[in-house]
Amino acid sequence: MSLPPVPRASLPLRTALLAALLGPAADAASGPSPLVKAEQLQGRAETLTGGRWVPLRVPATVTAGLRTGGDGAVWTTLRNGTTGKLLLGPSSRLRVTGGRAELQEGRFLLLGPLSLTALGQPVTLDAGAQARADLGVGGLKRVAVLAGGARVTVAGKATRLKAGQAIAVGTGRVTAFREEEAPWYAPRLTGTGRASVQATRGPVYLTAGGTRTVARVGATLDPGTRLSTGAGAWAEVGFLGGGYLRLQENSELTATAGPEAGTTTLGLLRGQAWNVVRSGAGQPALVGSTLRGSAFAVGVTGLRKTFGVFAAATGNRATPLPNSALDAQAQTPLVLRLDPVSSPARSLVLGVTTQPGAAVSALVGSRVLPLAPVAGQPGRFQLAGASLPEGEARVEVRADWRGQRRTRRVTVVVDRTAPTLTGLRAEREGRLLRVTGTLRDLGTAQTRAGRLTLTLRLGTDTQTRRVAVGPDGASVLDLPLPAPPEGTPVRVTVRDEAGNEAYAVLP
C-alpha cells in the first residue's frame, strides 16, 4: 500500500517557514533598510540599547528609543513605505516599536511623507508637508500643520488637516494655529564677530527691549535684538569676521549669541535672506524661513550648511538678485592702507585710506578710538592727537565694511616728558667758549635709546647738533665753540624725538 503524496507548501507558506527557521540571520542577510535612523546630531542625545541609555553617535539605527538633552537636537530618517524626516528638539523623547516611531514627549518637527504615532495616535504627512508636535510642552499636546496636509487619527476618528490647523491629541479638537514669533526650529545663520546693519531701503526697524526704532546704518544686532523689513524694503547685515546677508522685504530675523565664543547667530523668523558672496566665490544663496530646522555658517565664500536636511537655493537667471549695484560693492575686496606713524610722539596720530563708508577705529588695550572721515576726501580717515599713557603702546587699526574686516598693527612710543639740562656751564678759554653739562631724556630712557636735537644760540649765531643718548637716557655735553663778544647771552635748547623741549640761558 502506497502512502499518499505529501502536498508541497505554497510559495508564501514556504517563505514564512524559511524566515522562521533562519530568524534574525535571514534579516541580516537580506540587508533591509533601517526604519528609524539618526543622521545628524547637535548637542547631547542618547539612544536606548540593550535596556540602557548610551550616548548617541551618528549615523546610527534607532531600535528601541531616542532622547535629547536640554541642548540637543537630532535629525532622523523614517522609512515606512515612504521616506520622511523627523527632527527631535531639546528635551524630547521617542520610542521605536516594531520599527515604527512613537513620539512620547517634547518638541518635534515632521517633514513628509512619513507615518508615525504621537502619544499612540496615528499621524500621516503628505509628501512635502511640514508639521510640528508639541507633547507636554507648556501643557500642550497637539499636532499642528505648518505646510501641506496631514491626517491625524484620535480615538479612532481620522481628521484631515491643512496648513494653519492644529489638533489636540487627547480630544481630537481642531483649532486654528499660528506659529509663535520665534519658533525653536527657525533657520539659523551663524557668522564670526558681531553683526551690524550695513545698508537699508524702505521701512526697516530694530526692536530691542520691547521698543521699536528705525534701523540706522551701523546699528549693532545685540543678542535679543530683532531686525524687520516692510513691503518693498530690504536691510543688509554684515558680520565683522566676513559674511554678508540681505534681508528681503516682509522678513524678520533675531540675533542671539552664537554656539562658540566670538560668533553671532541670526534666526530667520519669517521671509527670506540672500547671502551675497565675493566675486568668484560661487552663487549667492537664498535662505527662507521654510527651511525649518536648518543651520548655516556664513562667510565671505558663501553659505555652508552645518545642520538640517535642506540645501540653500542659489540665485540664477530665473531668480535675479535685487540691488545689483550694492552686490557689486559687497563683492569688492576691502583694502586698508595705514600712513606711516610717527614714533616717538606726544599723542597718537593716524591716517588711513580705505573704502568710503567703512567704519574705521583704533584699538589700544581696551580702548576703542574711532577715526573720523576727512571732509572732501572720500575714503580718507584720521585720528588727530589721541592722548595715551606714556610708554610703548600696541595699536590695532580696523576697517569694517559690508561684512569684511581688515586690520593693521603698529607699535607707538608715547613720550610727553621733556628732556632736562643739568650742570650747564659756559667758560671762556682764549678764543673758545666751552659749553659743558649733562643732557637727560627720561621719556626716551623708558623705551629705548634715542637722539636729542641740541640748539645753541649765541647772540644772532645759531648752531644745531644731534646728540645720542645711551640706554640710561643721558649724554655728557662738552662743546668748544667760537667765543662770542663779551656779554653775549648763550641759550641752550634741547628737543627730543617726540617734540618735547627744554632750555636754559647762560650768562
Side-chain angles (χ1 to χ4, degrees), residues 122 124 150-154 156-162 165-167 172-174:
T124 302
R151 186 179 71 253
V152 180
T153 302
V154 178
K157 180 183 177 182
T159 302
R160 184 72 183 175
L161 301 175
K162 61 182 180 180
Q165 289 184 315
I167 186 170
R173 182 170 177 262
V174 177

Short mmCIF file of all heavy atoms in Angstrom, two decimals, residues 122 124 150-154 156-162 165-167 172-174:
data_model
loop_
_atom_site.label_atom_id
_atom_site.label_comp_id
_atom_site.label_asym_id
_atom_site.label_seq_id
_atom_site.Cartn_x
_atom_site.Cartn_y
_atom_site.Cartn_z
N PRO A 122 -2.17 57.74 15.48
CA PRO A 122 -1.51 57.71 14.16
C PRO A 122 -1.48 59.11 13.50
O PRO A 122 -2.47 59.83 13.52
CB PRO A 122 -2.38 56.74 13.36
CG PRO A 122 -3.09 55.92 14.37
CD PRO A 122 -3.33 56.82 15.54
N THR A 124 -0.09 60.86 9.77
CA THR A 124 0.44 60.65 8.42
C THR A 124 0.56 61.99 7.72
O THR A 124 -0.41 62.76 7.67
CB THR A 124 -0.47 59.72 7.61
OG1 THR A 124 -0.60 58.47 8.29
CG2 THR A 124 0.12 59.48 6.22
N ALA A 150 -2.07 66.82 6.28
CA ALA A 150 -1.80 65.68 7.14
C ALA A 150 -3.11 65.05 7.57
O ALA A 150 -4.18 65.67 7.52
CB ALA A 150 -0.98 66.09 8.35
N ARG A 151 -3.02 63.76 7.99
CA ARG A 151 -4.17 63.07 8.56
C ARG A 151 -3.78 62.58 9.94
O ARG A 151 -2.76 61.88 10.11
CB ARG A 151 -4.58 61.89 7.68
CG ARG A 151 -5.87 61.20 8.16
CD ARG A 151 -6.29 60.04 7.26
NE ARG A 151 -5.41 58.90 7.39
CZ ARG A 151 -4.52 58.52 6.49
NH1 ARG A 151 -4.37 59.22 5.36
NH2 ARG A 151 -3.75 57.46 6.65
N VAL A 152 -4.59 62.93 10.94
CA VAL A 152 -4.33 62.54 12.32
C VAL A 152 -5.56 61.79 12.83
O VAL A 152 -6.70 62.26 12.68
CB VAL A 152 -4.04 63.75 13.21
CG1 VAL A 152 -3.77 63.31 14.64
CG2 VAL A 152 -2.84 64.54 12.67
N THR A 153 -5.32 60.63 13.42
CA THR A 153 -6.42 59.82 13.97
C THR A 153 -6.37 59.88 15.48
O THR A 153 -5.34 59.54 16.09
CB THR A 153 -6.31 58.37 13.49
OG1 THR A 153 -6.34 58.35 12.05
CG2 THR A 153 -7.46 57.54 14.03
N VAL A 154 -7.46 60.34 16.10
CA VAL A 154 -7.57 60.41 17.55
C VAL A 154 -8.78 59.61 17.98
O VAL A 154 -9.90 59.85 17.49
CB VAL A 154 -7.69 61.87 18.04
CG1 VAL A 154 -7.87 61.91 19.56
CG2 VAL A 154 -6.48 62.68 17.62
N GLY A 156 -9.71 56.71 17.16
CA GLY A 156 -10.33 56.01 16.05
C GLY A 156 -10.95 56.90 15.00
O GLY A 156 -11.41 56.40 13.96
N LYS A 157 -10.98 58.20 15.20
CA LYS A 157 -11.55 59.13 14.23
C LYS A 157 -10.43 59.85 13.48
O LYS A 157 -9.61 60.53 14.08
CB LYS A 157 -12.44 60.14 14.93
CG LYS A 157 -13.07 61.15 13.97
CD LYS A 157 -13.89 62.19 14.71
CE LYS A 157 -14.46 63.23 13.75
NZ LYS A 157 -15.24 64.29 14.47
N ALA A 158 -10.42 59.68 12.15
CA ALA A 158 -9.40 60.32 11.32
C ALA A 158 -9.85 61.72 10.93
O ALA A 158 -11.01 61.93 10.54
CB ALA A 158 -9.14 59.49 10.07
N THR A 159 -8.92 62.68 11.05
CA THR A 159 -9.20 64.09 10.72
C THR A 159 -8.17 64.57 9.73
O THR A 159 -6.96 64.38 9.92
CB THR A 159 -9.17 64.97 11.97
OG1 THR A 159 -10.13 64.47 12.92
CG2 THR A 159 -9.49 66.41 11.62
N ARG A 160 -8.65 65.20 8.68
CA ARG A 160 -7.75 65.77 7.67
C ARG A 160 -7.45 67.22 8.04
O ARG A 160 -8.36 68.01 8.30
CB ARG A 160 -8.42 65.72 6.29
CG ARG A 160 -7.57 66.20 5.15
CD ARG A 160 -6.48 65.22 4.83
NE ARG A 160 -5.61 65.73 3.77
CZ ARG A 160 -4.52 65.13 3.36
NH1 ARG A 160 -4.16 63.97 3.91
NH2 ARG A 160 -3.77 65.64 2.40
N LEU A 161 -6.15 67.57 8.10
CA LEU A 161 -5.71 68.91 8.49
C LEU A 161 -4.95 69.57 7.34
O LEU A 161 -4.28 68.89 6.55
CB LEU A 161 -4.81 68.86 9.72
CG LEU A 161 -5.38 68.23 10.99
CD1 LEU A 161 -4.31 68.15 12.06
CD2 LEU A 161 -6.57 69.03 11.49
N LYS A 162 -5.04 70.88 7.28
CA LYS A 162 -4.26 71.66 6.32
C LYS A 162 -3.40 72.67 7.08
O LYS A 162 -3.53 72.81 8.31
CB LYS A 162 -5.18 72.36 5.33
CG LYS A 162 -6.15 73.35 5.97
CD LYS A 162 -7.06 73.97 4.93
CE LYS A 162 -8.02 74.97 5.59
NZ LYS A 162 -8.93 75.60 4.58
N GLN A 165 -3.74 74.65 10.82
CA GLN A 165 -4.67 73.95 11.71
C GLN A 165 -3.89 73.06 12.67
O GLN A 165 -2.84 72.51 12.33
CB GLN A 165 -5.66 73.10 10.92
CG GLN A 165 -6.69 73.91 10.15
CD GLN A 165 -7.71 73.01 9.47
OE1 GLN A 165 -7.35 72.01 8.85
NE2 GLN A 165 -8.99 73.37 9.59
N ALA A 166 -4.44 72.90 13.88
CA ALA A 166 -3.84 72.05 14.90
C ALA A 166 -4.92 71.16 15.49
O ALA A 166 -6.10 71.52 15.54
CB ALA A 166 -3.17 72.89 15.99
N ILE A 167 -4.51 69.99 15.96
CA ILE A 167 -5.45 69.06 16.58
C ILE A 167 -4.90 68.64 17.94
O ILE A 167 -3.71 68.36 18.09
CB ILE A 167 -5.70 67.83 15.68
CG1 ILE A 167 -6.79 66.95 16.27
CG2 ILE A 167 -4.42 67.05 15.44
CD1 ILE A 167 -7.27 65.86 15.33
N GLY A 172 -9.03 65.38 20.11
CA GLY A 172 -9.36 65.45 18.69
C GLY A 172 -9.93 66.80 18.27
O GLY A 172 -10.35 66.96 17.11
N ARG A 173 -9.92 67.78 19.15
CA ARG A 173 -10.46 69.11 18.83
C ARG A 173 -9.50 69.83 17.88
O ARG A 173 -8.30 69.91 18.11
CB ARG A 173 -10.65 69.92 20.10
CG ARG A 173 -11.24 71.30 19.88
CD ARG A 173 -11.63 71.93 21.21
NE ARG A 173 -12.13 73.28 21.03
CZ ARG A 173 -11.40 74.38 21.20
NH1 ARG A 173 -10.14 74.27 21.58
NH2 ARG A 173 -11.92 75.57 21.02
N VAL A 174 -10.07 70.39 16.80
CA VAL A 174 -9.28 71.10 15.79
C VAL A 174 -9.42 72.60 16.02
O VAL A 174 -10.54 73.12 16.20
CB VAL A 174 -9.75 70.73 14.37
CG1 VAL A 174 -8.98 71.53 13.33
CG2 VAL A 174 -9.58 69.23 14.13
#
